[in-house]
Amino acid sequence: MNAKKQMIFLFPVKDLYPIGGIKIAYQYADYFASSGYDVHFMYSHVRYDFWKRRDSGSFVFKLKTLLGFYYRLFKNQYKAGEWYAFKNKVSRHFVFRFNSGAFASFSKDSVVFATAVETAIPLAGIKRIQLKNKFYLIQDYELWHENTDELILKSYGLGFNNAVIANWLKEKVEGAGGKATIVPNGLDFNYFNITKPIEERKPAEICMLYHKDERKRCEDSIAALKIVKQSVPELHVSMFGNPEKPENLPEWFSYYKTPEHSVHLELYNNAAIFVAASNKEGWALPPAESMQCGCALVCTDIGGFADYAKNGETALTSPVYDVQALADNILALIKDNGKRVKIAKAGNEYIQRFTMENSYRLMHDFVNSAK
């Protein structure tokens, strides 16, 4: 590649803290930067339909929002993605919204990746970018904020080159009349790995993620663990997350807010079991990371876990919202240490297929095949 080809990733938020889906996009961006691409990130300040929306406030308010954006941009007050350690050079651009003007300085044959519904819809209207160079990284069925089923399904049928991270999302896209290629998430096995033998872990040592997103159903995990505690007095839970420590957490829970890597690695390796009770996920990272580190996974039976959580083999799964069934599975592994070790080892072996190298190769081939 004589002249570096431009690649642009579009993000709907300015991320100040780690976000799983954005982390995956950053990993691909870092890879493409190492492969000779001139990589750019574009972050939108407002939704693409800001000027048309009646609930965005009066014209005066909208004008103040616009002027405020450019004032803070001039003062260099906008930050994003600083939590991620890039190995290669990337450039960041903060724009008021995604429109043709935002792309004026970029080449017409730039490869552009939408990373969310809010970025795919406006990208469809950018005429200066060729359709064959418009890509869409779909990591979840994004029924949140102001998105509707109609809008999500519309984004799947825009004619972009759609890459999905899980089988269940491929079915969603195809059901909406679109086409999709599966590129599963890749895991860094130098970052998360086994440092403490699986056999040496205390069976009643549990780990879980805390998140305020209702879809994570953290309250179900906590309720199930309270049931287990009645039969296993020595039960201890290590919980981590980005939010502040939740209120009224039992004293046998230890909470770690945004743990640094060494602490995060220790939490996974100290735990015998990782618990996740989500009702929806794209392709969840924390349960997979825990498997990298030798935890036995106990989770709900959903598409976002299904690619690596095979019930009775690599994990124990239970129906969504069934707190008692979740508790029974946790208890089963605590009481039967041999079964816990077997599940953990099988899970650790199975998760090895999801390497960063494989995902990079698949994504590289996917981008180049669209040319």
Side-chain angles (χ1 to χ4, degrees):
M1 186 180 299
N2 295 326
K4 285 188 174 183
K5 186 163 186 176
Q6 293 176 330
M7 178 174 285
I8 310 165
F9 286 81
L10 309 182
F11 297 104
V13 296
K14 295 176 283 292
D15 56 309
L16 300 179
Y17 301 99
I19 298 174
I22 292 183
K23 177 183 177 182
I24 294 299
Y26 283 167
Q27 288 173 337
Y28 284 126
D30 211 6
Y31 163 75
F32 279 112
S34 72
S35 302
Y37 279 84
D38 179 20
V39 176
H40 299 260
F41 298 151
M42 193 181 291
Y43 303 87
S44 177
H45 185 62
V46 298
R47 279 178 59 97
Y48 58 92
D49 55 355
F50 176 75
W51 293 109
K52 297 180 180 179
R53 292 166 59 91
R54 293 183 178 179
D55 58 353
S56 295
S58 66
F59 175 77
V60 173
F61 173 80
K62 291 177 180 179
L63 184 60
K64 287 182 177 179
T65 302
L66 176 65
L67 295 176
F69 164 76
Y70 280 106
Y71 174 79
R72 289 188 289 274
L73 185 65
F74 176 75
K75 290 291 186 177
N76 196 31
Q77 294 179 353
Y78 289 118
K79 306 292 181 184
E82 297 191 349
W83 52 270
Y84 186 89
F86 287 95
K87 299 176 183 178
N88 302 278
K89 180 183 177 181
V90 299
S91 300
R92 294 179 175 84
H93 307 266
F94 300 97
V95 300
F96 187 68
R97 65 190 181 104
F98 298 128
N99 59 10
S100 296
F103 291 86
S105 62
F106 292 101
S107 170
K108 291 183 179 181
D109 65 348
S110 297
V111 172
V112 186
F113 263 98
T115 63
V117 173
E118 299 97 313
T119 62
I121 298 297
L123 178 58
I126 308 299
K127 303 303 180 184
R128 63 176 286 108
I129 305 297
Q130 300 176 41
L131 184 61
K132 67 179 181 180
N133 287 331
K134 293 179 180 178
F135 293 80
Y136 189 5
L137 178 57
I138 301 170
Q139 301 190 62
D140 207 336
Y141 187 78
E142 302 170 29
L143 192 59
W144 53 63
H145 302 314
E146 299 176 44
N147 294 339
T148 62
D149 288 292
E150 181 181 6
L151 192 65
I152 296 169
L153 297 176
K154 176 183 177 181
S155 76
Y156 293 166
L158 292 171
F160 294 172
N161 301 288
N162 298 318
V164 297
I165 63 173
N167 283 284
W168 77 276
L169 285 170
K170 186 175 190 295
E171 295 174 1
K172 285 284 189 181
V173 173
E174 291 177 344
K179 296 181 180 180
T181 297
I182 298 178
V183 183
N185 285 344
L187 303 170
D188 186 347
F189 289 87
N190 292 316
Y191 194 83
F192 285 125
N193 48 51
I194 293 177
T195 61
K196 181 177 182 179
I198 293 172
E199 296 87 348
E200 296 180 10
R201 305 182 190 192
K202 297 179 180 178
E205 188 66 38
I206 310 296
C207 187
M208 66 169 285
L209 167 74
Y210 175 68
H211 201 292
K212 290 186 176 182
D213 185 349
E214 191 277 335
R215 305 185 320 154
K216 304 289 185 182
R217 301 299 303 173
C218 292
E219 63 268 38
D220 289 352
S221 293
I222 294 172
L225 289 165
K226 287 181 177 179
I227 294 173
V228 175
K229 181 71 172 179
Q230 297 174 10
S231 301
V232 185
E234 68 273 24
L235 186 75
H236 176 261
V237 181
S238 293
M239 177 190 283
F240 65 89
N242 290 328
E244 295 297 329
K245 180 180 179 179
E247 297 180 359
N248 302 317
L249 202 62
E251 71 281 356
W252 41 278
F253 275 72
S254 298
Y255 186 68
Y256 300 81
K257 183 181 184 299
T258 318
E260 61 183 28
H261 171 243
S262 59
V263 175
H264 202 168
L265 180 64
E266 184 178 358
L267 292 178
Y268 281 148
N269 272 273
N270 191 51
I273 300 168
F274 188 89
V275 178
S278 303
N279 61 20
K280 286 184 179 67
E281 292 275 3
W283 194 101
L285 286 173
E289 293 169 351
S290 77
M291 294 168 76
Q292 289 178 257
C293 297
C295 292
L297 177 61
V298 174
C299 64
T300 42
D301 183 13
I302 61 171
F305 299 147
D307 286 355
Y308 51 76
K310 311 299 180 182
N311 189 39
E313 300 176 19
T314 64
L316 292 186
T317 67
S318 56
V320 173
Y321 309 121
D322 193 335
V323 171
Q324 185 61 56
L326 187 68
D328 290 343
N329 282 342
I330 298 169
L331 193 58
L333 295 188
I334 293 176
K335 295 297 186 181
D336 188 340
N337 196 50
K339 185 174 184 179
R340 189 268 303 177
V341 170
K342 182 180 179 181
I343 291 286
K345 287 186 173 182
N348 180 258
E349 180 179 353
Y350 191 85
I351 207 68
Q352 304 289 329
R353 66 186 61 192
F354 298 102
T355 65
M356 292 299 303
E357 293 74 19
N358 285 341
S359 294
Y360 288 157
R361 176 180 52 80
L362 290 171
M363 187 62 81
H364 183 272
D365 291 346
F366 175 63
V367 169
N368 282 278
S369 67
K371 297 178 181 178

Short mmCIF file of all heavy atoms in Angstrom, two decimals, residues 124-156:
data_model
loop_
_atom_site.label_atom_id
_atom_site.label_comp_id
_atom_site.label_asym_id
_atom_site.label_seq_id
_atom_site.Cartn_x
_atom_site.Cartn_y
_atom_site.Cartn_z
N ALA A 124 -25.61 6.33 6.09
CA ALA A 124 -26.33 6.01 4.85
C ALA A 124 -26.56 7.25 4.00
O ALA A 124 -26.70 7.16 2.78
CB ALA A 124 -27.66 5.34 5.18
N GLY A 125 -26.60 8.41 4.64
CA GLY A 125 -26.86 9.63 3.91
C GLY A 125 -25.61 10.34 3.40
O GLY A 125 -25.72 11.37 2.73
N ILE A 126 -24.44 9.81 3.72
CA ILE A 126 -23.19 10.43 3.26
C ILE A 126 -22.90 9.94 1.85
O ILE A 126 -22.43 8.81 1.65
CB ILE A 126 -22.02 10.10 4.19
CG1 ILE A 126 -22.38 10.43 5.64
CG2 ILE A 126 -20.75 10.84 3.76
CD1 ILE A 126 -22.71 11.88 5.89
N LYS A 127 -23.17 10.74 0.86
CA LYS A 127 -23.08 10.30 -0.53
C LYS A 127 -21.64 10.28 -1.06
O LYS A 127 -21.34 9.55 -2.01
CB LYS A 127 -23.91 11.22 -1.42
CG LYS A 127 -25.38 11.31 -1.01
CD LYS A 127 -26.04 9.94 -0.99
CE LYS A 127 -27.50 10.04 -0.59
NZ LYS A 127 -28.14 8.71 -0.47
N ARG A 128 -20.75 11.03 -0.43
CA ARG A 128 -19.38 11.09 -0.96
C ARG A 128 -18.60 9.80 -0.68
O ARG A 128 -17.55 9.57 -1.27
CB ARG A 128 -18.62 12.30 -0.41
CG ARG A 128 -18.41 12.29 1.10
CD ARG A 128 -17.56 13.48 1.54
NE ARG A 128 -16.15 13.30 1.20
CZ ARG A 128 -15.51 13.96 0.25
NH1 ARG A 128 -16.14 14.84 -0.49
NH2 ARG A 128 -14.23 13.76 0.03
N ILE A 129 -19.06 8.99 0.24
CA ILE A 129 -18.42 7.71 0.52
C ILE A 129 -19.12 6.63 -0.28
O ILE A 129 -20.34 6.49 -0.23
CB ILE A 129 -18.48 7.37 2.02
CG1 ILE A 129 -17.87 8.49 2.86
CG2 ILE A 129 -17.77 6.05 2.30
CD1 ILE A 129 -16.41 8.74 2.61
N GLN A 130 -18.36 5.83 -1.03
CA GLN A 130 -18.95 4.79 -1.86
C GLN A 130 -19.61 3.72 -0.99
O GLN A 130 -19.11 3.38 0.07
CB GLN A 130 -17.88 4.15 -2.74
CG GLN A 130 -17.19 5.15 -3.68
CD GLN A 130 -16.07 4.49 -4.47
OE1 GLN A 130 -16.22 3.37 -4.93
NE2 GLN A 130 -14.96 5.20 -4.61
N LEU A 131 -20.72 3.19 -1.47
CA LEU A 131 -21.47 2.20 -0.71
C LEU A 131 -20.63 0.98 -0.37
O LEU A 131 -20.73 0.43 0.71
CB LEU A 131 -22.73 1.78 -1.48
CG LEU A 131 -23.67 0.81 -0.75
CD1 LEU A 131 -24.17 1.45 0.53
CD2 LEU A 131 -24.84 0.42 -1.63
N LYS A 132 -19.78 0.55 -1.30
CA LYS A 132 -18.98 -0.65 -1.06
C LYS A 132 -17.98 -0.45 0.07
O LYS A 132 -17.43 -1.41 0.60
CB LYS A 132 -18.25 -1.06 -2.33
CG LYS A 132 -17.17 -0.10 -2.80
CD LYS A 132 -16.49 -0.61 -4.06
CE LYS A 132 -15.37 0.33 -4.51
NZ LYS A 132 -14.71 -0.17 -5.73
N ASN A 133 -17.72 0.80 0.45
CA ASN A 133 -16.77 1.07 1.51
C ASN A 133 -17.44 1.41 2.85
O ASN A 133 -16.79 1.85 3.78
CB ASN A 133 -15.84 2.23 1.11
CG ASN A 133 -14.84 1.81 0.05
OD1 ASN A 133 -14.46 0.64 -0.01
ND2 ASN A 133 -14.43 2.74 -0.78
N LYS A 134 -18.77 1.21 2.91
CA LYS A 134 -19.49 1.44 4.15
C LYS A 134 -19.69 0.11 4.87
O LYS A 134 -20.28 -0.82 4.33
CB LYS A 134 -20.84 2.10 3.86
CG LYS A 134 -20.73 3.52 3.32
CD LYS A 134 -22.09 4.12 3.02
CE LYS A 134 -21.95 5.54 2.47
NZ LYS A 134 -23.25 6.14 2.12
N PHE A 135 -19.19 0.05 6.09
CA PHE A 135 -19.26 -1.16 6.90
C PHE A 135 -20.02 -0.89 8.19
O PHE A 135 -20.14 0.25 8.64
CB PHE A 135 -17.84 -1.67 7.22
CG PHE A 135 -17.08 -2.16 6.02
CD1 PHE A 135 -16.47 -1.27 5.15
CD2 PHE A 135 -16.99 -3.52 5.75
CE1 PHE A 135 -15.78 -1.72 4.04
CE2 PHE A 135 -16.30 -3.98 4.65
CZ PHE A 135 -15.69 -3.08 3.79
N TYR A 136 -20.53 -1.96 8.77
CA TYR A 136 -21.35 -1.83 9.98
C TYR A 136 -20.96 -2.97 10.92
O TYR A 136 -21.19 -4.14 10.63
CB TYR A 136 -22.82 -1.93 9.57
CG TYR A 136 -23.85 -1.61 10.64
CD1 TYR A 136 -23.52 -1.15 11.90
CD2 TYR A 136 -25.22 -1.79 10.35
CE1 TYR A 136 -24.49 -0.85 12.85
CE2 TYR A 136 -26.20 -1.50 11.29
CZ TYR A 136 -25.83 -1.04 12.54
OH TYR A 136 -26.80 -0.76 13.46
N LEU A 137 -20.32 -2.61 12.04
CA LEU A 137 -19.94 -3.58 13.06
C LEU A 137 -21.09 -3.68 14.06
O LEU A 137 -21.31 -2.77 14.85
CB LEU A 137 -18.65 -3.15 13.75
CG LEU A 137 -18.15 -4.05 14.88
CD1 LEU A 137 -17.94 -5.48 14.41
CD2 LEU A 137 -16.86 -3.48 15.48
N ILE A 138 -21.83 -4.79 14.00
CA ILE A 138 -23.03 -4.99 14.82
C ILE A 138 -22.69 -5.89 15.99
O ILE A 138 -22.40 -7.08 15.82
CB ILE A 138 -24.17 -5.59 13.97
CG1 ILE A 138 -24.50 -4.65 12.79
CG2 ILE A 138 -25.41 -5.83 14.83
CD1 ILE A 138 -25.44 -5.26 11.77
N GLN A 139 -22.76 -5.34 17.20
CA GLN A 139 -22.35 -6.09 18.39
C GLN A 139 -23.49 -6.38 19.35
O GLN A 139 -23.29 -7.04 20.37
CB GLN A 139 -21.24 -5.33 19.13
CG GLN A 139 -20.01 -5.07 18.28
CD GLN A 139 -18.86 -4.54 19.08
OE1 GLN A 139 -18.35 -5.20 19.98
NE2 GLN A 139 -18.43 -3.32 18.78
N ASP A 140 -24.67 -5.88 19.01
CA ASP A 140 -25.81 -6.13 19.89
C ASP A 140 -27.07 -5.68 19.16
O ASP A 140 -27.01 -4.98 18.15
CB ASP A 140 -25.68 -5.34 21.21
CG ASP A 140 -26.41 -6.00 22.37
OD1 ASP A 140 -27.36 -6.77 22.10
OD2 ASP A 140 -26.04 -5.75 23.53
N TYR A 141 -28.21 -6.11 19.68
CA TYR A 141 -29.50 -5.60 19.20
C TYR A 141 -29.81 -4.40 20.09
O TYR A 141 -30.29 -4.56 21.22
CB TYR A 141 -30.57 -6.68 19.32
CG TYR A 141 -31.89 -6.28 18.67
CD1 TYR A 141 -32.03 -6.34 17.29
CD2 TYR A 141 -32.96 -5.84 19.44
CE1 TYR A 141 -33.24 -5.97 16.69
CE2 TYR A 141 -34.15 -5.46 18.85
CZ TYR A 141 -34.28 -5.53 17.47
OH TYR A 141 -35.46 -5.15 16.88
N GLU A 142 -29.53 -3.20 19.60
CA GLU A 142 -29.43 -2.00 20.43
C GLU A 142 -30.77 -1.35 20.77
O GLU A 142 -31.02 -0.17 20.46
CB GLU A 142 -28.51 -1.00 19.74
CG GLU A 142 -27.13 -1.55 19.46
CD GLU A 142 -26.30 -0.65 18.57
OE1 GLU A 142 -26.52 0.58 18.59
OE2 GLU A 142 -25.45 -1.17 17.84
N LEU A 143 -31.61 -2.09 21.44
CA LEU A 143 -32.92 -1.57 21.83
C LEU A 143 -32.78 -0.82 23.15
O LEU A 143 -33.19 -1.28 24.21
CB LEU A 143 -33.93 -2.71 21.94
CG LEU A 143 -35.41 -2.30 22.05
CD1 LEU A 143 -35.83 -1.47 20.84
CD2 LEU A 143 -36.29 -3.53 22.18
N TRP A 144 -32.16 0.35 23.07
CA TRP A 144 -31.98 1.19 24.25
C TRP A 144 -32.01 2.65 23.84
O TRP A 144 -32.06 2.99 22.66
CB TRP A 144 -30.68 0.84 24.98
CG TRP A 144 -29.44 0.85 24.15
CD1 TRP A 144 -28.90 1.91 23.49
CD2 TRP A 144 -28.60 -0.27 23.87
NE1 TRP A 144 -27.75 1.53 22.84
CE2 TRP A 144 -27.53 0.19 23.06
CE3 TRP A 144 -28.62 -1.62 24.24
CZ2 TRP A 144 -26.52 -0.64 22.61
CZ3 TRP A 144 -27.60 -2.45 23.79
CH2 TRP A 144 -26.57 -1.96 22.99
N HIS A 145 -31.95 3.52 24.84
CA HIS A 145 -32.04 4.96 24.63
C HIS A 145 -33.28 5.28 23.77
O HIS A 145 -34.38 4.94 24.14
CB HIS A 145 -30.75 5.49 24.00
CG HIS A 145 -29.53 5.21 24.82
ND1 HIS A 145 -29.48 5.43 26.17
CD2 HIS A 145 -28.31 4.72 24.48
CE1 HIS A 145 -28.30 5.10 26.64
NE2 HIS A 145 -27.58 4.66 25.63
N GLU A 146 -33.08 5.88 22.62
CA GLU A 146 -34.21 6.28 21.79
C GLU A 146 -34.39 5.37 20.57
O GLU A 146 -35.18 5.67 19.68
CB GLU A 146 -34.02 7.74 21.34
CG GLU A 146 -33.95 8.71 22.51
CD GLU A 146 -33.67 10.13 22.06
OE1 GLU A 146 -34.30 10.55 21.08
OE2 GLU A 146 -32.84 10.80 22.68
N ASN A 147 -33.68 4.26 20.55
CA ASN A 147 -33.80 3.34 19.42
C ASN A 147 -35.10 2.54 19.52
O ASN A 147 -35.56 2.19 20.60
CB ASN A 147 -32.63 2.36 19.40
CG ASN A 147 -31.31 3.06 19.10
OD1 ASN A 147 -31.30 4.16 18.55
ND2 ASN A 147 -30.21 2.42 19.46
N THR A 148 -35.68 2.26 18.37
CA THR A 148 -36.88 1.42 18.28
C THR A 148 -36.55 0.19 17.44
O THR A 148 -35.55 0.17 16.72
CB THR A 148 -38.03 2.19 17.63
OG1 THR A 148 -37.65 2.53 16.28
CG2 THR A 148 -38.37 3.45 18.40
N ASP A 149 -37.41 -0.82 17.52
CA ASP A 149 -37.22 -2.00 16.68
C ASP A 149 -37.17 -1.60 15.21
O ASP A 149 -36.35 -2.11 14.44
CB ASP A 149 -38.35 -3.01 16.91
CG ASP A 149 -38.25 -3.69 18.26
OD1 ASP A 149 -37.31 -4.47 18.46
OD2 ASP A 149 -39.11 -3.44 19.12
N GLU A 150 -38.05 -0.70 14.83
CA GLU A 150 -38.13 -0.26 13.43
C GLU A 150 -36.81 0.37 12.98
O GLU A 150 -36.31 0.09 11.88
CB GLU A 150 -39.27 0.75 13.26
CG GLU A 150 -39.44 1.24 11.83
CD GLU A 150 -40.55 2.26 11.69
OE1 GLU A 150 -41.11 2.67 12.73
OE2 GLU A 150 -40.85 2.66 10.55
N LEU A 151 -36.23 1.21 13.83
CA LEU A 151 -34.99 1.89 13.48
C LEU A 151 -33.82 0.90 13.41
O LEU A 151 -32.98 0.98 12.50
CB LEU A 151 -34.68 2.98 14.50
CG LEU A 151 -33.57 3.97 14.13
CD1 LEU A 151 -33.97 4.80 12.92
CD2 LEU A 151 -33.24 4.88 15.31
N ILE A 152 -33.77 -0.03 14.37
CA ILE A 152 -32.70 -1.03 14.39
C ILE A 152 -32.74 -1.89 13.13
O ILE A 152 -31.72 -2.09 12.45
CB ILE A 152 -32.81 -1.92 15.64
CG1 ILE A 152 -32.59 -1.08 16.91
CG2 ILE A 152 -31.78 -3.05 15.58
CD1 ILE A 152 -32.94 -1.81 18.18
N LEU A 153 -33.93 -2.39 12.81
CA LEU A 153 -34.07 -3.25 11.64
C LEU A 153 -33.79 -2.47 10.35
O LEU A 153 -33.23 -3.03 9.39
CB LEU A 153 -35.47 -3.87 11.61
CG LEU A 153 -35.78 -4.80 12.79
CD1 LEU A 153 -37.22 -5.29 12.71
CD2 LEU A 153 -34.82 -5.98 12.83
N LYS A 154 -34.16 -1.20 10.34
CA LYS A 154 -33.85 -0.36 9.18
C LYS A 154 -32.34 -0.27 8.99
O LYS A 154 -31.85 -0.34 7.85
CB LYS A 154 -34.44 1.03 9.38
CG LYS A 154 -34.09 2.01 8.26
CD LYS A 154 -34.65 3.40 8.54
CE LYS A 154 -34.23 4.38 7.45
NZ LYS A 154 -34.74 5.76 7.72
N SER A 155 -31.60 -0.13 10.08
CA SER A 155 -30.15 -0.01 9.98
C SER A 155 -29.51 -1.28 9.43
O SER A 155 -28.46 -1.23 8.79
CB SER A 155 -29.54 0.33 11.35
OG SER A 155 -29.50 -0.80 12.21
N TYR A 156 -30.16 -2.43 9.66
CA TYR A 156 -29.62 -3.70 9.16
C TYR A 156 -29.82 -3.85 7.65
O TYR A 156 -29.11 -4.63 7.01
CB TYR A 156 -30.30 -4.87 9.86
CG TYR A 156 -30.00 -5.01 11.33
CD1 TYR A 156 -30.78 -5.84 12.15
CD2 TYR A 156 -28.96 -4.30 11.93
CE1 TYR A 156 -30.52 -5.98 13.51
CE2 TYR A 156 -28.71 -4.43 13.29
CZ TYR A 156 -29.49 -5.26 14.07
OH TYR A 156 -29.23 -5.39 15.41
#
